[in-house]
Amino acid sequence: MSSTKVRKDSKKFRFRDGRLAYLLILPAFVLLGIFVVWPAIYAAYLSFQDWSFYKPAVFVAFKNYTDVLKDPLFIAAIKRGFMFVLFTVPTTLVLAFLFSSLVVSVSRRFADTLKVSIYLPTIISGVITSIIFVLIYDYSGGILNWFLGFFGVEPIAWLGDPQWALLAIAVPAIWLGMGLTSLIMVAAMIDIPSEFYEAASLEGANWWQKTFYITLPQMKNVGLYLLVTGIIGAIQQYELPLVMTGGGPLDSTTTPNLFIFNHFRGDMNVGYSIAAALLMFLVLGTLSALIFKFVNSEKLVD
């Protein structure tokens, strides 16, 4: 068989395989266009309109965007979202790392039990979690104030005091986020070659030295992923404050997404809510880009 015929057959099969591949991914592209791309384009169009469900749209250019940016409640909600990130993300990452370190250091059977126990909160809905913690935080009959009473601490209105409300909501958020974060870290730690730790042990390195010079550098990419997704998830949180406080007291728990939701539900001008949502998207995109810029992700090299 000549080399020319072989090349022709190779091109024919490659062309056929390429058509098959495009045919297989076509349904995904169609669904992506219907449910993601087109709604995003139409939302951007509506953000320039004075529009509601009860009247025709009127083009107002950038008025919705300027109104949102001039709204002190929106700016305060953005700041509150970043404060919520500071309350939840660092704590979640540190606790998940410590828990993961414990899992990889114990026996396999005990490790399986620990992984199941830490993942259980992940399968509980945010609404049920909110109700559970509302009962825990109850001023007169809650378990938390009852426990603090043994130490002489007066009852605290955890969800009724603006000073404590956002922090009180951060606790169940950490509890819900621990499971998946821990399992991802466990997988990353197991993937680190054991030879690194064996060599470090021969040099007399302790746990802290192994952690800072081996574990953390080898988990850099995973840590970056968890940092970005954790920040985005935390700043978009709205289910817990919606159920637990409704955004109060005094808007102290009105997160950005809850602010947008309340406006969408209560305002006649839907374009305002859409403009706020797109500005929020811009904030999250910029934040993610900055994280990737200053925390460079590198390919792991053994």
Side-chain angles (χ1 to χ4, degrees):
M1 183 181 294
S2 66
S3 60
T4 303
K5 190 175 186 308
V6 171
R7 284 197 298 270
K8 287 183 178 179
D9 290 342
S10 176
K11 289 181 180 179
K12 182 177 67 175
F13 287 122
R14 193 159 51 239
F15 177 71
R16 187 179 65 183
D17 292 343
R19 286 194 303 176
L20 180 60
Y22 285 122
L23 184 63
L24 291 175
I25 65 175
L26 180 61
F29 273 107
V30 172
L31 294 175
L32 185 69
I34 293 174
F35 295 106
V36 177
V37 177
W38 169 245
I41 295 174
Y42 191 60
Y45 166 76
L46 291 179
S47 68
F48 296 101
Q49 311 287 325
D50 180 3
W51 175 81
S52 74
F53 297 102
Y54 311 103
K55 64 179 183 179
V58 178
F59 181 73
V60 293
F62 290 94
K63 182 178 183 302
N64 289 327
Y65 289 95
T66 56
D67 288 345
V68 172
L69 292 174
K70 290 179 181 178
D71 191 339
L73 296 179
F74 177 75
I75 303 301
I78 294 291
K79 294 179 180 179
R80 202 172 294 117
F82 282 108
M83 183 64 67
F84 192 76
V85 168
L86 292 177
F87 285 159
T88 57
V89 175
T91 305
T92 301
L93 292 178
V94 171
L95 292 179
F97 181 82
L98 294 176
F99 182 86
S100 303
S101 300
L102 174 63
V103 169
V104 298
S105 64
V106 297
S107 64
R108 183 182 181 87
R109 179 175 298 180
F110 188 41
D112 291 339
T113 303
L114 289 176
K115 285 187 284 188
V116 171
S117 65
I118 196 62
Y119 190 73
L120 282 178
T122 307
I123 65 177
I124 301 176
S125 73
V127 174
I128 295 176
T129 301
S130 301
I131 295 173
I132 292 173
F133 275 86
V134 166
L135 297 176
I136 292 174
Y137 290 140
D138 187 70
Y139 182 80
S140 57
I143 297 176
L144 183 56
N145 280 333
W146 171 79
F147 176 76
L148 293 176
F150 287 105
F151 301 95
V153 179
E154 294 294 325
I156 299 173
W158 297 102
L159 299 176
D161 188 343
Q163 181 180 356
W164 294 104
L166 190 64
L167 182 60
I169 292 176
V171 173
I174 294 170
W175 186 63
L176 288 172
M178 274 280 294
L180 186 58
T181 304
S182 298
L183 291 185
I184 292 175
M185 285 191 176
V186 168
M189 289 181 181
I190 293 175
D191 195 47
I192 299 175
S194 59
E195 291 83 358
F196 292 179
Y197 296 104
E198 293 172 359
S201 298
L202 292 176
E203 295 294 330
N206 56 32
W207 183 86
W208 290 103
Q209 292 170 323
K210 293 177 183 177
T211 298
F212 282 103
Y213 293 105
I214 299 177
T215 307
L216 291 178
Q218 294 293 311
M219 292 178 61
K220 182 178 181 180
N221 292 342
V222 172
L224 177 62
Y225 166 78
L226 292 175
L227 178 64
V228 173
T229 55
I231 291 174
I232 292 175
I235 203 171
Q236 291 188 100
Q237 176 62 248
Y238 86 98
E239 189 176 29
L240 294 176
L242 175 65
V243 178
M244 296 178 70
T245 62
L250 302 177
D251 290 328
S252 61
T253 58
T254 301
T255 55
N257 274 12
L258 183 56
F259 172 88
I260 296 170
F261 174 76
N262 288 336
H263 272 274
F264 181 80
R265 182 176 56 178
D267 285 359
M268 291 289 292
N269 181 14
V270 180
Y272 178 95
S273 303
I274 297 175
L278 292 177
L279 286 173
M280 187 64 197
F281 172 78
L282 181 62
V283 170
L284 293 175
T286 303
L287 182 62
S288 301
L290 289 174
I291 293 175
F292 279 111
K293 179 177 177 60
F294 292 107
V295 185
N296 294 322
S297 176
E298 299 173 355
K299 184 177 180 181
L300 179 63
V301 179
D302 292 342

